[in-house]
Amino acid sequence: MSVYTFIRHLDYTRPNITPQFRPNPQEQEFVERTNSALFYASVIAVVLAILLGLIFTNSLLKPLSNLNTAIGKMGKGELLQEVSKTSDDELGEVIEGFNQMSNALATANARREQLTADIAHELRSPLTVINGYLEALQDGVLDPTPERIEIIQQEVSQLNRLISDLRTLALADTGQLEIIKDKVNLQTIFNHLLNAYELIIASKNLDLSFTSEKQLTYIYADEGRILQVLSNLITNAIRHTNEGGKIMINASKKQNGTEIEVKDTCEGIPKEDLDLVFERFYRADPSRQTSSGQSGLGLSIVKALIKAHGGKVDVKSEIGKGSTFSVFLPYQ
């Protein structure tokens, strides 16, 4: 037997003895403390996880709950709702969009209610006059003189104008306003307006003038609608310009279109009212009534008709220095 074989034989026949580890008291105490620390750390970690989960859930669910409550109130008719935005994430964007929608709906609803009240008022005024005269004539209190018949006819005409204006705006709102564009001679329009307003201009001692750039002869528009636009603007200027004032209409070429300006020397429009003058039935002076035969919708119709042409209308004014209404019409 070789030495190598003998050593291997000893290796396999040696009993397998594993020594036992017996920690001393200090080591045992260290192990117990470590186990306790790990146990308490685990408990604290679980508690913190639960608390953080509750906080996160609350931060997520509370805005959703507030949003749901606000939606419920809107469903009951309380359109103006404001939900607090607590973050800038996707939920925050949803809440911000909801607040904007709520504000827009509330504003639109308030305008609708105001419009309904204004229409009722505008209809009530001439109807009251007509009804009063007819009852007096029927009871024999008044004689049917030509002057009284003429007053009734004027009030009927006022009603017809109001209904026509409302119909025009309704068609514009639904996109059904018919606009037939063609080449329109500017001088023809100016001559028509000058003849139409000659008497009223003379009665108020006003100066009405029309000018245009030499090379500008035609515009591309619906002739009847443009006459209506300019008539409304001139009527508005006449109503607010004092005796001896001036109203100047000027047409000029601009990039991609034509601009027509209606300038006057009226008292001017307050700065805070400039953005509102095209609102329906809006009056800078609430005490002013439409006693001059106007429906109170003239500037609203101007805006609607120009928008239907694909153009835009603007106003600039300064107290004591007059106002300028600008109408832009794009080329074909």
Side-chain angles (χ1 to χ4, degrees), residues 300-311:
S300 300
I301 291 175
V302 167
K303 184 177 181 179
L305 292 179
I306 295 303
K307 184 178 179 181
H309 275 79

Side-chain angles (χ1 to χ4, degrees), residues 115-130:
L115 178 62
T116 302
D118 287 334
I119 291 174
H121 171 76
E122 296 295 332
L123 289 172
R124 187 184 300 113
S125 297
L127 285 174
T128 300
V129 174
I130 294 171

Side-chain angles (χ1 to χ4, degrees), residues 22 26 43 75 112 142 172 174 184 188 210 217 242 262 284 301 323:
R22 296 182 182 277
Q26 290 82 5
V43 172
R112 179 186 61 79
L142 296 177
T174 57
V184 179
T188 300
F210 296 88
T217 306
N242 294 327
V262 179
I301 291 175
S323 303

Side-chain angles (χ1 to χ4, degrees), residues 102-205:
S102 172
N103 185 64
L105 285 174
T107 302
N109 186 62
R111 289 181 178 178
R112 179 186 61 79
E113 292 177 349
Q114 183 61 47
L115 178 62
T116 302
D118 287 334
I119 291 174
H121 171 76
E122 296 295 332
L123 289 172
R124 187 184 300 113
S125 297
L127 285 174
T128 300
V129 174
I130 294 171
N131 185 63
Y133 270 98
L134 289 178
E135 286 185 353
L137 293 172
Q138 188 177 24
D139 295 340
V141 177
L142 296 177
D143 295 327
T145 63
E147 292 79 10
R148 289 164 182 158
I149 299 298
E150 183 180 358
I151 291 174
I152 295 174
Q153 182 59 47
Q154 289 174 352
E155 296 300 325
V156 172
S157 298
Q158 169 67 2
L159 283 175
N160 284 331
R161 279 192 295 269
L162 176 61
I163 293 170
S164 177
D165 289 346
L166 289 172
R167 182 175 182 276
T168 298
L169 290 172
L171 291 173
D173 289 342
T174 57
Q176 299 177 13
L177 189 62
E178 187 178 16
I179 298 294
I180 303 174
K181 296 182 180 181
D182 202 354
K183 287 178 68 176
V184 179
N185 189 294
L186 265 179
Q187 195 58 49
T188 300
I189 290 179
F190 289 166
N191 290 339
H192 178 92
L193 293 170
L194 193 59
N195 292 331
Y197 287 96
E198 183 178 5
L199 291 179
I200 189 171
I201 288 294
S203 66
K204 289 194 66 174
N205 191 27

Side-chain angles (χ1 to χ4, degrees), residues 14-63:
R14 188 176 55 187
N16 187 12
I17 300 174
T18 302
Q20 295 291 330
F21 175 74
R22 296 182 182 277
N24 56 45
Q26 290 82 5
E27 292 174 335
Q28 183 67 30
E29 185 181 359
F30 173 78
V31 171
E32 290 177 356
R33 287 182 179 179
T34 302
N35 290 336
S36 298
L38 290 174
F39 173 75
Y40 289 120
S42 300
V43 172
I44 292 173
V46 170
V47 172
L48 285 176
I50 293 173
L51 290 176
L52 289 174
L54 291 174
I55 293 172
F56 176 76
T57 303
N58 184 63
S59 66
L60 180 64
L61 293 182
K62 187 175 181 180

